[in-house]
Amino acid sequence: MTANTALILTLLTPLLGAVLIGLTGRWPNLRETITMVTALSLFALVIRVLIGLNAGEDIGVELFEVMSGVGIAFNTEPLSILFAMIASGLWVVTSVYAFGYMRGTNEINQTRFYVCFALALFGAMGVAFSANLLTLFIFYEVLTISTYPLVTHKGDAKAKAGGRTYLGILMTTSIVFLLPAIIWVYAVAGTLDFVPGGILEGNLAAGSATILLLLFLFGVAKAAVMPVHKWLPAAMVAPTPVSALLHAVAVVKAGVFTLTKVVIYIFGTDYLASVPYESIAVYMAGFTVIAASCIALRQTNIKRLLAYSTIGQLSYIVMATMALAPFSEIGAAIHIAAHAFGKITLFFTAGAIYVASKKTEVTQLNGIGWRMPYTMAAFAIGALSMIGVPPTAGFVSKWFIIAGAFQLDNYFVLVVLILSTALNAAYFLPIIFNAFFKPEDVKLKDHGEAPPSMVIALCVTASLTLLFFFFNGPVLDLETQLVGGMP
Amino acid sequence: MLMHLPVLVVLAPLLAAPIVALMRGATWPWLLSTLVSWFALLCAVLLLIQVQAEGVIIYTMGGWEAPWGIEYRIDFANALLLVLITGLASVVMPYARLSVEQEVGAERSPMFYAALLLLSLGLCGMTATGDAFNVFVFLEISSLATYTLIAMGRDRRALTASFSYLVMGTIGGTFYLIGIGLLYVMTGTLNMADLAERLPAISDSSTVRTGFAFIVTGICLKLALFPLHLWLPNAYTYSPSAVTALLGATATKVAVYILIRFVFTIFGPEYSFGAEPLAEVLIPLAVIGLLSASTVSIGQPNIKRMLAYSSVAQIGYIVLGIAMGTAMGLTAALLHVFNHGLMKGALFMTLGAVMYRMGGTNLSDMQGLAKTMPLTFWAFVIGGLSLIGVPLTVGFVSKWHLILAAIELGWWPVVIVILAGSMLAVVYVGRVVEAGFFGEARDPTRREAPASLLIPVWILIFANIYFGIDTRLTVDIAEAAAAQLMAGGVVR
């Protein structure tokens, strides 16, 4: 199989999986087997593309032309393969987790759930491998629409309200800001292809470029830079596997991934550095980091706390990308991976706690560490990664982002990072402390760990968070290609 | 026979209509009408191919050369529109059988099909002809057929809807006729090509200006430009479903085409946008219409009426494209004429299927549709996404070109208006989708609509997706048509 075939199959596999899952809805075991097989084969295919990329194969497929000069086309580069690896790899783990969660909570409409999940992965793969902005936009919308039934899964008034906010913000911003931004690029550059070094230089007046940048920054609401972040807490009404894979990994990373792609391949870092007031994007993201952490401090619901933590962490990536130093671009790319491992672990533990004990609030977690030792140990690892303490994944990326800040003498970034570390510690450490060292308040219900499939899944992602600290060499090598080698 | 194609599109239904009217029962009139509309579609497709291969086709009626005789003149713009009209008629006819049986009744069926044929032939005639007075004749044929068809609606309010459209439509037709009369006085010809040649010499005469104003106003009444749209919501709401589908998809589009023909071919873009303040008049009306009609449609309890208001809004997009006066804007307008025909046809037919099973098209009838009538529901969802302009649907393609045209001119406020319109569409489509998806079905035992309704619906839904992905055909033709039209005058 050539890498190009594999590339096309990464899109067809989840689509075919969705159809088969839909057809086998009446037999839950068969349905879940198909989900698993689809997830595994998707991961294998992405690895095949990675091998092709590393071997220097010429990878690129154009399916058909939609507008003159722009078609539906796919290719790959270091950033996209990283995103695809994370999304497809963690889908395997999440599927294992979801089987336990969905059965453990007796959810309704499970077939629809798995179908939409597969479709969301189809969207994520399309976003990852798109070779131009039009293709990216199409799959970006696929991702939005396919996750709407997942967010509103419960179907009650709260879920509907959450779904409305979710779809409302994501759709509005993508149509009102992102789409005109894309058409504007097309109007001035005549192309939408992702080209290293960008396509805008010399095509756009300096002042217009600032507006265009802001259109992208707020048009890609999936990156959740304030004030277009509200959809993410709203999406927390979804079942936890959705929050874990989609709203900590696939959907939100599609957002920051899009922004990074736009910075590197549409504007080009050199051109963007010459755009006046470019640093406004850095300040916006920096503000989001601090503001989201402050809001997270005051949250009592575990999932909402994690959502605000995600908003802050996403803006790390945006801030690093927009800082435009070579090290910070690398840091941004690595943080896509590092945050994914840590945050999915945290969501897995939140879901495990819910399934085992029906607890949803931070204040209820006193002493739970001894009932659910694996879960809470994993929580601790995930939380440490959020803070950025070695030996966890979060430390690696933070290292590069700080190195980038020093490269440019950008002390704003530095101060934001230090403050945010302190705030993260302030809302995560007490939870860990209380879980292990405070006595249980009231004996509500005797419980142990969640079902084994969930515990296995969260142990796997927690180990990944640790392992990434020690074995990040291949990822680093790959991502340094983004800035043309280690600076 | 190939050389007679331009007239066959019109003649075949014209000959069939009286025969259909004389038939008995429901089946035979239906069968004959369906076959005739398929034949007309075949002619239209062949015409389009011929235009692509050979350029403009000129057909002299009965061999009488213009200006003594009437000539038909087919170029890219009207060839595309003929395919749209006959294509829509070809899916509506098979669809009509069950829906008409229920909504109109068997004994009135022959008359119904005859009127439907007359409607579609009237629209084709207006499109194909190269004679300004002939346009009026076909306009009246299609209008009279429309009044009859609307009045056949089950709801008694259909009668008043029909009557008010009759009054408004007649005023529009009369205005048009007065305008033509004034031009005839000045030029001595009714042939479009001759008019285009003779008008520049006398363009500063006030009679010509008056004629221009009468014609544009008259046509704008027929194409339901805000604030001349008041006849439309009732007419669409109370007509039988099959009629709404055909009317909503094609009738106003043909009026748009006539407007384009007069503005660009006959008067020429320099006159229309230079000597006359056409852009200054049309743009505010289009913008207000677009935003107000979209807003009004959000609150409609009847989904058919909601889509009717949405049609008024979509006309706003098209008129915006025309009013830009550039090749890009015109391309966008022509694309949206075709694409909006596809989406509205599909949506109104979907509502017809709901009507057939649920007996109404109110929001309450849509509750829980995802479970009781999944195929109908998903057809509505895809049609709705197309209306919003989501990628991979036709709505995206036309909106893309419209925004591109606005950016090209640097009209940023217009870009914002277009996007705001899309957002309002998200709200009014979303409302229905939410009801269908989460609502509790009033009667969970209702079944999916029969195949003879669903197949035509899904053919159109498929077209919505197909032309959203493979845009070569539509965009290329629209671009070629816009280039022809922008050249002004008539291509010999």
Side-chain angles (χ1 to χ4, degrees):
Chain A
M1 180 165 52
T2 66
N4 272 341
T5 320
L7 187 65
I8 290 303
L9 285 177
T10 56
L11 296 162
L12 293 181
T13 307
L15 206 54
L16 181 71
V19 173
L20 290 178
I21 293 164
L23 292 176
T24 54
R26 257 176 290 166
W27 306 280
N29 288 329
L30 182 59
R31 176 187 71 199
E32 262 114 294
T33 312
I34 290 174
T35 305
M36 206 58 217
V37 170
T38 313
L40 283 170
S41 22
L42 179 64
F43 187 53
L45 286 164
V46 175
I47 290 178
R48 174 65 191 86
V49 178
L50 172 69
I51 293 170
L53 181 71
N54 279 339
E57 272 184 65
D58 187 24
I59 304 176
V61 188
E62 168 142 11
L63 293 187
F64 44 80
E65 199 171 74
V66 178
M67 318 287 168
S68 71
V70 192
I72 304 295
F74 303 96
N75 65 13
T76 186
E77 40 77 53
L79 194 62
S80 67
I81 196 75
L82 177 71
F83 176 48
M85 285 285 287
I86 294 165
S88 62
L90 290 180
W91 188 28
V92 178
V93 189
T94 309
S95 298
V96 174
Y97 181 85
F99 304 150
Y101 183 91
M102 298 304 277
R103 291 185 179 194
T105 53
N106 281 322
E107 292 280 348
I108 46 161
N109 292 330
Q110 292 199 19
T111 304
R112 186 177 85 197
F113 175 87
Y114 289 113
V115 168
C116 290
F117 222 107
L119 287 177
L121 261 293
F122 165 67
M125 289 300 119
V127 168
F129 290 127
S130 51
N132 57 49
L133 267 178
L134 179 71
T135 314
L136 190 145
F137 181 73
I138 290 170
F139 284 96
Y140 183 95
E141 296 291 44
V142 169
L143 197 50
T144 306
I145 294 170
S146 63
T147 47
Y148 172 73
L150 293 172
V151 171
T152 54
H153 186 84
K154 284 209 174 72
D156 53 14
K158 212 175 133 205
K160 265 194 269 183
R164 223 175 274 160
T165 314
Y166 182 79
L167 204 59
I169 294 183
L170 289 182
M171 270 276 181
T172 309
T173 50
S174 73
I175 292 179
V176 176
F177 301 131
L178 183 56
L179 181 60
I182 292 173
I183 300 178
W184 195 0
V185 171
Y186 179 67
V188 297
T191 174
L192 289 174
D193 290 345
F194 292 126
V195 178
I199 53 176
L200 285 177
E201 193 161 6
N203 289 325
L204 197 59
S208 309
T210 317
I211 298 171
L212 185 64
L213 180 70
L214 289 179
L215 281 179
F216 274 115
L217 186 65
F218 296 115
V220 185
K222 289 195 168 100
V225 175
M226 283 180 183
V228 290
H229 65 288
K230 279 278 178 190
W231 63 271
L232 189 55
M236 292 300 130
V237 293
T240 306
V242 176
S243 311
L245 183 62
L246 298 175
H247 300 123
V249 183
V251 172
V252 290
K253 294 298 149 49
V256 289
F257 169 81
T258 306
L259 282 180
T260 313
K261 282 280 253 203
V262 166
V263 166
I264 298 181
Y265 297 105
I266 297 294
F267 281 96
T269 47
D270 292 338
Y271 171 64
L272 194 56
S274 72
V275 169
Y277 303 112
E278 184 276 331
S279 49
I280 196 170
V282 178
Y283 296 129
M284 290 287 204
F287 170 78
T288 307
V289 170
I290 302 298
S293 302
C294 290
I295 299 172
L297 265 178
R298 302 162 44 88
Q299 297 301 316
T300 53
N301 181 293
I302 307 173
K303 282 178 75 179
R304 283 185 74 85
L305 182 145
L306 294 179
Y308 277 102
S309 158
T310 304
I311 295 172
Q313 298 281 332
L314 290 172
S315 275
Y316 270 30
I317 303 174
V318 177
M319 185 173 70
T321 307
M322 297 294 175
L324 302 175
F327 270 134
S328 55
E329 299 299 323
I330 300 172
I334 294 179
H335 200 59
I336 290 181
H339 173 248
F341 296 140
K343 194 46 69 63
I344 200 170
T345 309
L346 288 171
F347 273 112
F348 279 172
T349 57
I353 291 168
Y354 175 69
V355 169
S357 68
K358 295 285 172 226
K359 287 175 179 165
T360 56
E361 303 300 309
V362 175
T363 46
Q364 298 167 325
L365 298 186
N366 292 348
I368 203 168
W370 303 112
R371 289 192 177 276
M372 308 177 72
Y374 292 109
T375 305
M376 288 318 289
F379 184 92
I381 294 170
L384 291 178
S385 181
M386 291 303 121
I387 303 168
V389 180
T392 58
F395 177 75
V396 185
S397 44
K398 195 169 269 185
W399 175 281
F400 278 97
I401 298 175
I402 292 176
F406 277 118
Q407 251 179 341
L408 287 179
D409 289 331
N410 193 332
Y411 296 108
F412 175 78
V413 173
L414 203 63
V415 169
V416 166
L417 280 179
I418 293 169
L419 262 178
S420 157
T421 305
L423 287 166
N424 270 283
Y427 61 80
F428 275 125
L429 292 182
I431 302 176
I432 304 172
F433 178 83
N434 294 346
F436 285 103
F437 300 113
K438 266 200 182 169
E440 278 186 271
D441 301 333
V442 210
K443 260 211 149 51
L444 287 167
K445 180 177 148 224
D446 195 44
H447 67 85
E449 286 279 4
S453 78
M454 298 172 72
V455 178
I456 293 171
L458 62 89
C459 286
V460 169
T461 55
S463 326
L464 283 172
T465 313
L466 292 176
L467 289 175
F468 191 77
F469 178 80
F470 297 103
F471 306 104
N472 52 35
V475 180
L476 258 177
D477 290 343
L478 194 64
E479 299 315 313
T480 44
Q481 293 172 23
L482 277 180
V483 291
M486 188 59 100
Chain B
M1 196 189 101
L2 277 180
M3 61 171 290
H4 293 293
L5 281 176
V7 73
L8 274 175
V9 171
V10 181
L11 202 58
L14 187 62
L15 292 177
I19 303 175
V20 166
L22 291 174
M23 285 175 159
R24 295 273 177 84
T27 312
W28 288 103
W30 166 75
L31 192 65
L32 182 59
S33 316
T34 307
L35 291 177
V36 169
S37 35
W38 287 354
F39 175 74
L41 174 63
L42 178 73
C43 293
V45 170
L46 289 175
L47 264 179
L48 183 63
I49 295 170
Q50 213 174 329
V51 170
Q52 275 182 313
E54 297 162 18
V56 180
I57 301 169
I58 297 170
Y59 179 87
T60 47
M61 194 68 78
W64 292 91
E65 293 283 333
W68 300 281
I70 292 167
E71 69 174 4
Y72 279 20
R73 193 178 271 272
I74 314 287
D75 59 13
F76 279 112
N78 51 5
L80 183 67
L81 202 61
L82 282 175
V83 172
L84 176 73
I85 301 165
T86 53
L88 256 300
S90 303
V91 284
V92 167
M93 286 292 184
Y95 168 92
R97 191 172 64 91
L98 285 181
S99 147
V100 167
E101 200 176 272
Q102 193 198 44
E103 292 177 37
V104 179
E107 78 275 20
R108 284 199 290 173
S109 279
M111 287 304 172
F112 178 90
Y113 287 112
L116 206 57
L117 278 179
L118 286 172
L119 167 61
S120 70
L121 88 87
L123 297 175
C124 286
M126 283 165 78
T127 310
T129 187
D131 185 282
F133 185 76
N134 206 224
V135 168
F136 175 72
V137 173
F138 282 114
L139 178 80
E140 284 304 301
I141 293 179
S142 71
S143 301
L144 290 171
T146 311
Y147 308 143
T148 321
L149 286 167
I150 295 172
M152 285 190 188
R154 204 162 37 170
D155 197 304
R156 283 179 62 195
R157 282 170 286 187
L159 295 174
T160 49
S162 169
F163 186 73
S164 66
Y165 182 33
L166 187 142
V167 174
M168 301 279 268
T170 309
I171 295 173
T174 312
F175 268 42
Y176 177 82
L177 190 61
I178 293 172
I180 296 296
L182 292 174
L183 293 189
Y184 183 62
V185 168
M186 294 304 291
T187 59
T189 181
L190 288 167
N191 182 280
M192 290 182 184
D194 288 341
L195 277 171
E197 254 171 37
R198 292 178 198 178
L199 276 173
I202 47 167
S203 63
D204 48 355
S205 95
S206 55
T207 316
V208 172
R209 299 186 80 127
T210 318
F212 180 81
F214 267 111
I215 289 171
V216 169
T217 316
I219 299 172
C220 283
L221 225 162
K222 295 300 285 188
L223 63 77
L225 178 69
F226 176 90
L228 305 173
H229 67 284
L230 294 172
W231 58 270
L232 187 143
N234 279 335
Y236 281 16
T237 311
Y238 301 120
S239 319
S241 305
V243 176
T244 314
L246 192 58
L247 273 184
T250 59
T252 49
K253 308 303 175 311
V254 173
V256 167
Y257 160 79
I258 300 295
L259 180 68
I260 292 177
R261 192 51 93 196
F262 270 89
V263 166
F264 289 92
T265 304
I266 296 176
F267 287 97
E270 291 85 20
Y271 177 78
S272 308
F273 295 103
E276 301 285 345
L278 188 64
E280 289 80 353
V281 173
L282 288 187
I283 291 170
L285 294 181
V287 167
I288 299 170
L290 201 165
L291 295 177
S292 65
S294 299
T295 313
V296 169
S297 58
I298 292 172
Q300 298 302 324
N302 187 333
I303 307 306
K304 226 171 154 184
R305 181 178 280 273
M306 178 193 98
L307 289 181
Y309 275 107
S310 150
S311 284
V312 177
Q314 303 289 324
I315 289 294
Y317 288 116
I318 297 172
V319 171
L320 258 184
I322 296 171
M324 286 177 188
T326 60
M328 191 80 93
L330 194 52
T331 306
L334 288 167
L335 266 176
H336 203 50
V337 163
F338 187 83
N339 290 345
H340 179 243
L342 289 182
M343 52 181 114
K344 266 302 149 54
L347 282 170
F348 277 126
M349 281 163 75
T350 312
L351 285 186
V354 176
M355 181 80 164
Y356 187 77
R357 277 289 183 238
M358 311 297 296
T361 54
N362 285 326
L363 195 62
S364 55
D365 297 306
M366 309 289 285
Q367 300 277 0
L369 214 60
K371 289 210 178 61
T372 50
M373 303 171 70
L375 285 172
T376 311
F377 175 73
W378 287 108
F380 189 91
V381 171
I382 298 176
L385 290 176
S386 189
L387 196 59
I388 295 167
V390 170
L392 300 185
T393 61
V394 288
F396 179 70
V397 178
S398 34
K399 215 149 270 182
W400 173 281
H401 281 88
L402 198 60
I403 294 175
L404 197 59
I407 290 181
E408 191 193 54
L409 287 170
W411 289 7
W412 292 101
V414 171
V415 174
I416 295 169
V417 167
I418 297 167
L419 296 168
S422 301
M423 290 326 305
L424 292 169
V426 171
V427 179
Y428 62 72
V429 171
R431 207 169 58 105
V432 182
V433 173
E434 214 181 71
F437 202 73
F438 296 110
E440 283 299 316
R442 231 178 10 183
D443 178 3
T445 58
R446 298 288 166 102
R447 283 170 300 125
E448 183 58 85
S452 75
L453 296 184
L454 281 177
I455 293 171
V457 166
W458 275 91
I459 288 176
L460 277 189
I461 293 292
F462 177 76
N464 267 285
I465 297 172
Y466 179 80
F467 289 112
I469 294 173
D470 183 0
T471 58
R472 279 170 306 186
L473 182 71
T474 48
V475 173
D476 287 357
I477 292 175
E479 275 173 354
Q484 275 180 353
L485 288 163
M486 284 307 290
V490 177
V491 184
R492 287 285 172 190

